[in-house]
């Protein structure tokens, strides 16, 4: 019968006149290739399209007004037409059909998704919201509750006002799925939607696995996206009630074009159209940190990007397997230090600034109070934690967890509070230790810069005091000093000036290794045979004093096998010196940029050097107690020990960041051309991502044996980065590799490393991976995102260098660390 009807419908079809824009299609019309439906305000357009590099044809919706064709919805994403003879029709029953007119076959239809109220006079209409609806003509009410609408079947884009989530009445679940690739709208790997197995939460999945959990709504924001704040451009909300559970965002100024897209790579980006630039600008939603990886720390583990290692057990918990935990295998997570036994004395400990754990299997009631919530949790021994479901205002509602708590994260601010069940004795011991820690806590909140200056001052004061005492006793200074001013131990031994004079043969020219950022560097041999490198601050340098202090502060507390080790200092009268372990193979530049010595570093040696540098940088950025931005990472600042282990050196330019600071601005740009990220060289903006940029340059230099700055390609005048980018895009990245590596290379490793290098030198800092991701990429074999255009890839030189710095001697001196004073 219905077949009969559609045949009749087919016979009645007329062709849409191609002359003027229409916003509707009625049941007697047919839409062909090159014909479109346009929304009333001409915001959106519906019609046939074919993706850039594809021979397939689809029906879709895109923005009408902008130059770049940006598809927001695709009808037949999995069943493309291979030619242009498609016909889109609306049947009398209100079903939209896409037919292949060469054989009459239906390639796509809404038949399985329409509610089956047989309609009498259906109309299809494209709205200015980007939604295409099919409704019963003549009654505007029906537009509110259409027979079918495209926004119930999202593709990869969520537009303002559209709902992402569940309609419990109709049973429709709206989620969006990435395209397979930029050229293929078929279902990709990634999907995003609201999970309602428990208190509703937003997540991104890769296949069936959870990739990233944006978390439950706490009345103000999504618990896992604490950095998403109220802003003047769009507002967002999450509705949970009897009927629906959905996420939605709305534009404050409707004339802005914005879309939320799940890209083929799995990245969720919010894009804003910039008319002036005629391009979509991304507002990236953070989801690429190690801690964003689902359940990275296992049950009852908490992930904290400011800690080293990132995983720790919550208070009252200990690693389930100490051995595995030590090897950073956190999969088994943590367990109660004192197991629970359902004793009535059990209670709850309060934890703050968390991303709430996975709410699958949780229970909630939106009207209960916190006290009722606690009682409810306490009564049920399998209830492991509770909190308010709505933190807005004074807090309301009840959210209960049962069993393991998974995917918790500790954040610096805007985190949530969670009450976790602990045994009575555990609660007692926490109570006791809080008492004795009270004083310590006061100390911790003193700003770190202040702590650092106190340390520095006390080094010097203590040094004087101690030296006098030592001289009276006639001993060499003790190696370990304790700073009595706080709880900090600094292990910074002091050397007599006379010891250094002897070791360096009175600073003999023969012992000179090179010129550092603030003075010469000498080799020395202590009486016990230990070899040292001595950095001597030039007496006349005033700028040097700051760098000297900076270096002491930065490095005195750092201990890592890929950082050069500070053995001590020497301060006597006007003399100021830093004493380092001596690196017998000196600078990496002496190998890779030297035509004869480059043969000494084969592929596996370079590979392990690159990995070592990355680990050193990881320690600086994330694993040490301070977050340090090196700011002058370059080949000549990488030293090699006797076993060719790389060590990062020269912390004269380094900056220490406070706990959650991620970016800073300086009007004194220091660094080395060729290694400086565009936003840093240009705007003085530095962050861990500007170090990552330098790391990327370094990586490409190590692979190619060429200097980024010195390199100018004969044909296209690109520098090394530009050359690498070009070769990569042509699939010829192997050509970049240093010829002296010859047969030693591992082709897949080489290609992967060049790819990672290009990801690090991407123009926009937000595109660059952090060093944690870099290490994961280096050590794994999964697919990598394609890199975007790099920064500074046309060879560009500026000659206003004012200062030079290399750790040890360099083969040539054209690589200067420069200081630019930005007039601002
Ligand atoms: C669509 O329009 C383009 C340009 O006007 C024309 O080249 C093409 O042949 C048309 N295609 C169809 C199927 O009508
Ligand atoms: C897509 O087409 C562009 C321009 O024709 C071309 O540069 C690019 O390499 C193509 N990409 C793929 C993946 O085929
Ligand atoms: C509609 O659903 C039925 C049964 O689930 C299925 O056999 C049929 O292929 C579907 N039709 C379309 C056009 O998806
Ligand atoms: C759809 O049709 C079936 C059978 O014809 C009927 O049982 C069902 O109630 C209808 N659903 C709606 C939403 O009208
Ligand atoms: C968001 O903004 C829109 C448009 O200004 C407004 O209609 C809506 O009420 C706002 N929603 C919330 C939750 O503030
Ligand atoms: C909305 O944005 C447009 C374009 O940016 C601007 O011209 C207009 O004044 C804005 N309207 C409001 C109410 O802010
Ligand atoms: C939520 O709790 C309130 C107060 O305890 C109670 O009246 C209500 O029935 C509960 N609702 C549900 C859905 O359990
Ligand atoms: C405790 O909660 C779990 C999960 O909701 C439930 O299955 C169990 O019956 C409850 N036990 C008691 C004693 O209420
Ligand atoms: C959350 O709390 C605020 C402030 O009390 C209230 O306005 C809002 O309606 C609550 N939200 C829900 C979903 O209960």
């Amino acid at each position: 019968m219905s077949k009969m009807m559609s045949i009749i419908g087919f016979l009645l079809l007329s062709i849409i006149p191609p002359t003027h824009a229409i916003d509707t299609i009625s049941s007697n019309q047919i839409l062909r290739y090159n014909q479109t439906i346009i929304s009333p305000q001409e915001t959106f357009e519906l019609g046939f399209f074919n993706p850039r590099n594809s021979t397939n044809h689809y029906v879709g919706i895109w923005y009408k007004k902008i130059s770049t064709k940006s598809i927001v919805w695709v009808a037949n994403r999995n069943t493309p037409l291979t030619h242009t003879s498609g016909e889109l029709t609306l049947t009398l029953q209100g079903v939209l059909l896409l037919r292949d007119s060469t054989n009459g076959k239906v390639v796509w239809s809404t038949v399985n998704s329409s509610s089956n109220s047989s309609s009498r006079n259906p109309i299809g209409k494209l709205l200015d919201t980007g939604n295409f609806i099919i409704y019963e003509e003549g009654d505007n009410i029906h537009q509110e509750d259409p027979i079918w609408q495209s926004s119930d079947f999202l593709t990869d884009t969520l537009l303002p006002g559209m709902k992402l989530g569940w309609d419990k009445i109709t049973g429709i679940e709206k989620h969006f799925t990435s395209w397979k690739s930029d050229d293929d709208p078929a279902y990709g790997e990634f999907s995003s939607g609201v999970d309602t197995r428990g208190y509703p939460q937003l997540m991104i999945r890769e296949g069936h696995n959870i990739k990233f959990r944006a978390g439950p709504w706490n009345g103000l924001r999504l618990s896992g996206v604490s950095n998403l704040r109220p802003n003047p451009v769009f507002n967002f909300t999450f509705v949970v009630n009897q009927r629906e559970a959905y996420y939605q965002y709305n534009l404050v100024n409707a004339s802005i074009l914005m879309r939320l897209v799940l890209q083929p790579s799995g990245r969720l980006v919010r894009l804003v159209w910039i008319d002036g630039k005629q391009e979509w600008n991304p507002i990236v939603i953070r989801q690429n940190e190690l801690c964003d990886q689902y359940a990275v720390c296992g049950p009852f583990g908490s992930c904290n990007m400011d800690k080293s290692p990132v995983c720790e057990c919550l208070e009252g918990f200990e690693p389930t397997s100490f051995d595995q935990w030590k090897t950073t295998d956190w999969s088994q997570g943590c367990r109660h230090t004192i197991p629970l036994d359902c004793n009535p004395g059990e209670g709850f400990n309060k934890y703050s600034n968390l991303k709430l754990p996975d709410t699958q299997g949780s229970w909630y009631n939106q009207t209960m109070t916190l006290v009722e919530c606690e009682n409810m949790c306490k009564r049920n021994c399998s209830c492991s934690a509770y909190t308010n479901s709505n933190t807005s205002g004074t807090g309301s509602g009840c959210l209960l967890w049962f069993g393991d708590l998974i995917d918790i994260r500790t954040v610096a601010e805007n985190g949530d509070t969670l009450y976790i069940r602990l045994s009575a004795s555990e609660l007692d011991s926490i109570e006791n230790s809080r008492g004795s820690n009270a004083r310590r806590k006061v100390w911790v909140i003193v700003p770190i810069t202040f702590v650092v200056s106190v340390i520095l001052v006390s080094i010097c004061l203590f040094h004087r005091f101690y030296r006098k005492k030592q001289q009276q006793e006639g001993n060499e200074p003790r190696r370990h000093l304790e700073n009595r001013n706080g709880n900090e131990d600094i292990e910074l031994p002091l050397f007599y000036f006379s010891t250094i004079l002897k070791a360096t043969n009175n600073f003999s020219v023969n012992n000179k290794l090179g010129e550092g950022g603030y003075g010469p560097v000498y080799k020395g041999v202590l009486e016990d045979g230990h070899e040292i490198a001595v950095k001597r601050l030039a007496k006349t340098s005033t700028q040097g004093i700051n760098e000297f202090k900076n270096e002491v502060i930065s490095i005195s507390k750092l201990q890592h096998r890929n950082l050069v080790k500070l053995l001590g200092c020497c301060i006597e009268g006007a003399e100021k010196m830093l004493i380092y372990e001596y690196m017998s193979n000196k600078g990496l530049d002496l190998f890779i940029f030297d035509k004869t010595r480059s043969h000494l570093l084969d592929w596996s040696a370079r590979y392990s050097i690159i990995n070592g540098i990355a680990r050193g940088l990881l320690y600086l950025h994330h694993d040490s107690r301070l977050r340090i931005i090196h700011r002058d990472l370059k080949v000549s600042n990488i030293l090699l020990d006797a076993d060719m282990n790389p060590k990062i050196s020269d912390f004269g330019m380094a900056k220490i960041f406070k706990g959650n600071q991620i970016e800073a601005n300086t009007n004194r740009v220091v660094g080395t051309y060729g290694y400086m990220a565009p936003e840093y060289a240009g705007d003085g903006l530095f962050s861990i991502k500007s170090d990552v940029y330098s790391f990327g340059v370094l990586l490409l230099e190590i692979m190619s044996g060429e200097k980024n700055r010195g390199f100018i390609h004969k044909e296209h005048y690109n520098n090394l980065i530009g050359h690498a980018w070009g070769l990569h895009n042509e699939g010829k990245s192997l050509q970049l590799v240093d010829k002296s590596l010859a047969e030693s290379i591992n082709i897949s490793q080489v290609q992967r490393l060049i790819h990672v290098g290009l990801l690090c030198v991407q123009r926009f800092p937000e595109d660059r991976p952090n060093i944690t991701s870099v290490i994961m990429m280096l050590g794994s074999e999964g697919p990598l995102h394609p890199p975007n255009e790099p920064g500074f890839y046309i060879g560009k030189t500026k000659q206003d260098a004012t200062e030079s710095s290399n750790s040890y001697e360099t083969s040539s001196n054209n690589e200067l660390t420069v200081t630019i004073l930005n007039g601002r």
Side-chain angles (χ1 to χ4, degrees), residues 234-237 249-253:
F234 64 97
N235 63 26
F236 46 90
T237 183
Y249 70 95
N250 282 290
L251 292 171
V252 172
N253 181 343

Side-chain angles (χ1 to χ4, degrees), residues 350-635:
K350 181 177 174 179
Y351 300 81
S352 301
N353 270 334
L354 298 184
K355 166 184 178 178
L356 293 176
D358 194 346
T359 54
Q360 284 182 60
S362 65
W363 178 94
Y364 67 99
N365 174 321
Q366 287 168 300
T367 54
M368 280 164 66
T369 65
L370 195 62
V371 174
E372 288 170 333
C373 193
E374 173 171 2
N375 289 336
M376 180 131 187
C377 191
K378 199 162 186 174
R379 280 202 303 272
N380 186 331
C381 291
S382 58
C383 178
S384 47
Y386 72 92
T387 194
N388 273 140
S389 59
N390 182 2
T391 57
S392 177
T394 52
S396 59
C398 177
L399 181 50
L400 302 183
W401 282 264
F402 301 93
D404 288 351
L405 301 175
I406 292 168
D407 198 35
I408 299 174
R409 178 170 180 170
T410 303
V411 291
E413 54 182 344
N414 279 339
D416 285 298
T417 300
L418 183 66
Y419 302 86
I420 303 179
R421 180 187 290 263
L422 294 181
S423 66
S425 42
E426 189 62 54
L427 286 169
D428 279 349
S429 77
I430 287 174
E431 191 65 28
N432 291 339
S433 70
R434 285 219 174 120
S436 64
N437 275 344
R439 284 184 57 206
R440 203 197 214 135
K441 278 205 173 136
V442 174
W443 172 252
V444 170
I445 58 171
V446 176
I448 189 129
T449 45
F450 177 71
V451 175
V452 160
S453 44
V454 168
I455 294 166
L456 193 72
V457 168
S458 51
I459 294 173
C460 297
L461 290 180
F462 191 76
H463 163 253
R464 292 225 172 123
F465 159 80
Y466 203 79
R467 280 293 308 278
K468 283 224 173 78
K469 197 158 161 254
Q470 291 284 327
Q471 275 166 350
Q472 284 159 8
E473 291 168 7
N475 290 330
E476 269 289 323
R478 197 172 59 144
R479 285 269 159 145
H480 291 250
L481 296 185
E482 273 164 22
N483 169 5
R484 284 138 184 223
N485 222 321
N487 305 306
E488 307 283 345
D489 275 342
I490 28 166
E491 297 184 35
L492 194 61
L494 297 157
F495 288 80
Y496 287 136
F497 186 49
S498 55
T499 310
I500 303 299
L501 272 180
K502 205 185 228 168
T504 58
N505 211 355
N506 289 336
F507 296 108
S508 147
V509 180
N510 296 336
N511 284 39
K512 190 165 163 180
L513 290 169
E515 208 52 48
Y518 47 79
V521 182
Y522 296 88
K523 182 186 173 179
V525 182
L526 295 175
E527 273 184 347
D528 62 6
H530 266 104
E531 291 180 317
I532 55 173
V534 180
K535 263 190 167 184
R536 186 185 196 188
L537 176 65
K539 283 177 207 164
T540 50
S541 162
T542 48
Q543 194 175 21
I545 291 174
N546 290 329
E547 281 153 16
F548 177 84
K549 283 185 190 167
N550 197 21
E551 185 143 8
V552 173
I553 294 164
S554 305
I555 202 176
S556 63
K557 302 222 222 140
L558 302 179
Q559 287 287 338
H560 189 271
R561 66 189 301 255
N562 296 113
L563 301 186
V564 69
K565 194 163 156 197
L566 182 63
L567 300 175
C569 67
C570 172
I571 308 169
E572 197 154 300
E575 290 285 355
K576 293 181 184 58
M577 274 162 268
L578 290 175
I579 292 92
Y580 284 95
E581 60 178 333
Y582 175 70
M583 294 288 128
S584 55
N585 278 311
K586 304 180 188 169
L588 177 59
D589 53 326
L590 298 182
F591 287 88
I592 64 168
F593 297 145
D594 184 298
K595 289 286 162 280
T596 51
R597 298 183 80 200
S598 65
H599 294 272
L600 299 173
L601 284 184
D602 68 0
W603 169 247
S604 69
R606 291 191 197 204
Y607 184 70
S608 79
I609 285 170
I610 289 168
N611 274 287
I613 299 167
R615 282 191 298 268
L617 199 56
L618 174 69
Y619 178 79
L620 292 178
H621 286 180
H622 299 292
D623 282 359
S624 69
R625 291 168 52 205
L626 309 169
R627 170 172 285 188
I628 292 179
I629 314 297
H630 187 284
R631 295 208 295 167
D632 198 15
L633 212 56
K634 57 182 170 183
V635 171

Side-chain angles (χ1 to χ4, degrees), residues 797-811:
T797 48
K798 261 190 180 176
Q799 288 301 341
D800 45 353
T802 60
E803 193 183 346
S804 89
S805 163
N806 294 302
S807 288
Y808 288 0
E809 65 186 308
T810 37
S811 40

Side-chain angles (χ1 to χ4, degrees), residues 73-92:
W73 183 77
V74 182
N76 55 323
R77 65 188 300 188
N78 277 316
T79 50
L81 288 161
T82 51
H83 47 73
T84 56
S85 327
E87 292 175 346
L88 189 70
T89 60
L90 183 63
T91 70
L92 281 171

Side-chain angles (χ1 to χ4, degrees), residues 654-673:
K655 283 280 186 208
I656 301 174
F657 273 11
K658 288 169 210 154
N660 53 0
Q661 186 184 4
I662 54 163
E663 184 180 273
N665 199 303
T666 180
N667 53 17
R668 186 172 161 253
V669 172
V670 293
T672 302
Y673 279 126

